[in-house]
Amino acid sequence: MLTDHHTAIAQQVPAADALIRELGVRGLTQLHTDLHHGAPIDYRFTRCPYCSGLGEDPTLPDCRQVGCPPQYEFADHPHICPVCRGEDYQPTWFAEKRIAQLDRLLGDPNKHHDLGNSLLSRLRIQARQLMYR
């Protein structure tokens, strides 16, 4: 996670360690967002740094620690990851789904009248090519 950032690892690690020690899981979420330059992170495509994309809390807390209602205490249910909130990490499946959606949105530029070699037509073709890469 830290290697994608543009500052030296020797400077990042102590800062990340202090942030995580002070704020816990919330600090890890903040660190992950900071490393993505404040952009919202879609955990369907980006592996969660806390649960490694599993969607469940890896520390296996009991229901009293998490605050589950009493009726769930003996149900042996999984607790969702506090960072990604249980997002299902499946980049291949979601990428194919997004490409299909983009194809439907863009449509065939040849169907539109008076577009020819216009800027809109070229942008649609470039967007389609970029999404397939």
Side-chain angles (χ1 to χ4, degrees):
M1 183 174 75
L2 292 172
T3 58
D4 294 336
H5 204 49
H6 51 78
T7 59
I9 294 282
Q11 294 173 346
Q12 293 178 36
V13 172
D17 183 53
L19 183 66
I20 293 169
R21 285 178 191 270
E22 183 178 332
L23 300 174
V25 173
R26 194 166 52 93
L28 183 60
T29 306
Q30 183 62 47
L31 175 64
H32 204 205
T33 303
D34 290 347
L35 291 175
H36 283 84
H37 306 290
I41 300 169
D42 190 347
Y43 286 109
R44 295 175 300 176
F45 296 96
T46 305
R47 191 181 303 273
C48 174
Y50 188 64
C51 70
S52 297
L54 297 175
E56 295 180 18
D57 194 336
T59 61
L60 302 174
D62 63 6
C63 288
R64 275 185 278 128
Q65 292 172 325
V66 178
C68 295
Q71 63 265 28
Y72 293 123
E73 190 171 339
F74 301 105
D76 192 33
H77 63 280
H79 297 110
I80 63 170
C81 173
V83 174
C84 68
R85 299 287 178 207
E87 258 324 321
D88 193 10
Y89 173 71
Q90 293 184 3
T92 306
W93 185 81
F94 284 112
E96 290 172 3
K97 184 177 172 184
R98 278 221 177 139
I99 288 173
Q101 288 173 346
L102 183 65
D103 278 344
R104 280 195 307 274
L105 290 174
L106 292 176
D108 187 8
N110 297 329
K111 288 183 182 178
H112 300 285
H113 58 80
D114 298 331
L115 284 179
N117 289 329
S118 71
L119 177 63
L120 181 60
S121 177
R122 284 183 281 164
L123 287 175
R124 284 183 172 147
I125 292 169
Q126 287 176 349
R128 186 176 295 137
Q129 289 171 345
L130 287 173
M131 287 301 290
Y132 278 114
R133 285 186 192 163

